[in-house]
Amino acid sequence: MRNVSLTRFLIEKEHTNHLITGDLRLLIEVVSRACKAISIAIGKGGLADVLGGAGSDNVQGEAQKKLDVISNEILLEANEWGGHLAAMASEEMDHPYQIPHRYPKGEYLLLFDPLDGSSNIDVNVSVGTIFSVLRCPEGVEPDEKAFLQPGAQQVCAGYAVYGPTTLLVLTLGDGVNVFTLNRETGAFHLTQENLRIPADTREFAINASNQRYWEEPVQRYIGELLAGKEGPRGQDFNMRWVASMVADVHRIMTRGGIFMYPKDRKDPGKAGKLRLMYEANPMAFIVEQGGGAATTGRERIVDIQPTALHQRVPVILGSKNEVDRVTGYHA
Ligand code: P6P
C-alpha cells in the first residue's frame, strides 16, 4: 500500500485526474478535520462532560445526546468560513444553515448526520458521521428546495467510523477508498484502495424485533434465510445488528452482507426509519460505487426525487445479488 495521506490523495484527484475542484478538495479536508475533532470528543467519554442527553429534541422529535449537538457544532464551525459552501443541512437542524454574510460562499451544498447511531454512545459502541455533497444549482438561493436533488446528483459522499480505529470512507464517484486516522500525526492515511463488496453473502442485518410489522416480501426473504440449509436457500446464514448504521454498513463494505431497514406497519405514516438526504443517499452512493446495490425494495435509492429535507425511506443495501433478490420479491 502506497503511504498516501488523504491530502496527497485529494491533490492527485484534483491535479492529475482533474476529477475534483480545489473547493471540493478543501471541503473534504475540512470535513475530515471535523471528524477528527468529533473522534477526540467521543474518545473522552465519561472523562469529560460529553455523555448523556442534551435536554433537547431534534427535528425528528428524538432526544438529542450532548455529542449530537457537539458534533453538529463542530461541523458547522469547521465549514462555515471556508468559502466552499452555499449552505449546509443536518439531521440536527430543522432548516438549512445559511453561510453568515461575513464569510465567502461557494458552489457546494453539504449535508450530514453529525453523529449517527448516537443511542449507542453511552454504551461505548461504534458510531459515525455520514456526509453528502451536492452542487447548488446556478443562481439558486440555497434554501431547502436547492437541497432536494436525487442522490444520483451527489459529487461526493463519505462516512467516518469512530470505532477501535477512526476511519474515513470516501467516494468521489470513481470507486471507494478507506483512510485510517494516525492518532500520532493526526493525518488520515490511505489503507484500502478501490474497495469492492462481495456480490454474495451469508450475513444479514435487520432489527428482527419488527418482524411482525414487515411487508410480505421481507417476511419471505428473512424466513428463507432463517430456514437455512433445510430451506429454499440450501445454506445457513448469520445475523448481525449493531443498530449503528455506519458500523453495520462498514462491516458490509468490508466483508459483504445485506442491511435492511424496510418499510413496516409499526408506524404506517412513516415511509421507513432512515433519512434519505443524509443517511440513505450517501450510503447508497458509496455502496453502489463499491459494486453493491441500494434500493427501497421498489426503486433505486439514488433515483428518488426528494420532496422534503428530512424525509424517510426504506433501505435495503449491500451485496448486489442479495439486494437484487429482495427487490425482485417486491416486484
Ligand atoms: P433501531 C440509529 O439511531 C439509526 O438511525 C441507525 O444508525 C441504525 O441503523 C438504526 O437507527 C437503528 O434502529 O430501530 O434498531 O434502534
Side-chain angles (χ1 to χ4, degrees):
M1 177 66 61
R2 303 177 296 153
N3 180 15
V4 174
S5 68
L6 174 64
T7 301
R8 180 171 167 189
F9 174 88
L10 293 173
I11 292 270
E12 288 174 359
K13 291 294 178 187
E14 180 188 352
H15 293 296
T16 312
N17 313 46
H18 307 294
L19 182 71
I20 61 173
T21 63
D23 270 358
L24 183 53
R25 172 165 62 83
L26 173 63
L27 184 161
I28 297 165
E29 291 202 283
V30 167
V31 168
S32 73
R33 280 197 290 276
C35 290
K36 198 183 343 176
I38 293 169
S39 174
I40 291 164
I42 288 171
K44 292 195 169 79
L47 297 172
D49 182 22
V50 294
L51 295 182
S56 51
D57 288 354
N58 66 14
V59 63
Q60 331 287 343
E62 291 164 343
Q64 290 177 304
K65 299 283 188 182
K66 282 181 190 153
L67 277 165
D68 283 323
V69 176
I70 292 168
S71 303
N72 194 57
E73 284 167 6
I74 288 173
L75 280 157
L76 293 177
E77 287 160 16
N79 279 286
E80 65 177 350
W81 48 269
H84 49 283
L85 292 182
M88 291 183 251
S90 164
E91 179 193 61
E92 302 302 329
M93 302 184 300
D94 297 12
H95 306 292
Y97 181 85
Q98 297 305 321
I99 304 298
H101 293 301
R102 63 185 177 279
Y103 296 135
K105 286 190 174 180
E107 67 174 305
Y108 296 109
L109 298 169
L110 176 64
L111 303 95
F112 48 82
D113 180 358
L115 199 59
D116 181 74
S118 54
S119 57
N120 287 307
I121 263 288
D122 297 340
V123 295
N124 203 40
V125 167
S126 298
V127 291
T129 297
I130 309 170
F131 64 94
S132 169
V133 184
L134 296 165
R135 281 196 185 82
C136 188
E138 276 293 313
V140 170
E141 272 309 297
D143 58 12
E144 177 162 334
K145 281 194 309 298
F147 284 86
L148 301 185
Q149 303 175 38
Q153 299 297 315
Q154 293 173 99
V155 293
C156 166
Y159 60 82
V161 191
Y162 311 116
T165 63
T166 290
L167 300 178
L168 182 72
V169 179
L170 183 69
T171 185
L172 302 168
D174 67 334
V176 180
N177 291 287
V178 182
F179 301 83
T180 301
L181 176 62
N182 177 330
R183 295 184 192 284
E184 276 91 42
T185 65
F188 280 98
H189 285 268
L190 182 64
T191 46
Q192 194 173 355
E193 251 180 314
N194 194 27
L195 181 152
R196 305 301 292 168
I197 304 174
D200 292 302
T201 182
R202 297 175 64 168
E203 200 161 64
F204 67 100
I206 194 165
N207 181 339
S209 70
N210 296 322
Q211 187 270 337
R212 62 190 184 282
Y213 300 116
W214 295 337
E215 296 179 313
E216 174 45 39
V218 175
Q219 298 276 6
R220 173 186 172 192
Y221 176 71
I222 299 295
E224 290 176 351
L225 302 188
L226 295 175
K229 55 178 175 296
E230 292 80 31
R233 298 299 304 269
Q235 58 180 345
D236 288 341
F237 287 77
N238 196 8
M239 197 191 103
R240 288 284 182 277
W241 185 251
V242 183
S244 180
M245 186 186 197
V246 174
D248 280 315
V249 170
H250 188 68
R251 183 190 58 254
I252 289 164
M253 294 298 294
T254 307
R255 69 183 189 212
I258 181 169
F259 172 96
M260 301 174 73
Y261 215 111
K263 176 174 171 45
D264 64 39
R265 289 185 283 265
K266 189 173 187 179
D267 182 345
K270 265 189 193 174
K273 169 162 190 184
L274 301 176
R275 294 84 171 179
L276 174 62
M277 297 306 295
Y278 38 77
E279 289 177 334
N281 266 340
M283 288 307 201
F285 184 25
I286 293 163
V287 164
E288 290 191 349
Q289 283 291 311
T295 75
T296 62
R298 294 179 169 84
E299 62 182 313
R300 211 170 145 231
I301 285 172
V302 297
D303 288 341
I304 295 170
Q305 174 53 53
T307 53
L309 188 58
H310 299 291
Q311 78 182 73
R312 298 172 190 265
V313 289
V315 175
I316 297 166
L317 60 76
S319 292
K320 181 164 180 13
N321 293 343
E322 290 301 314
V323 174
D324 288 352
R325 175 186 286 265
V326 179
T327 307
Y329 287 1
H330 283 77

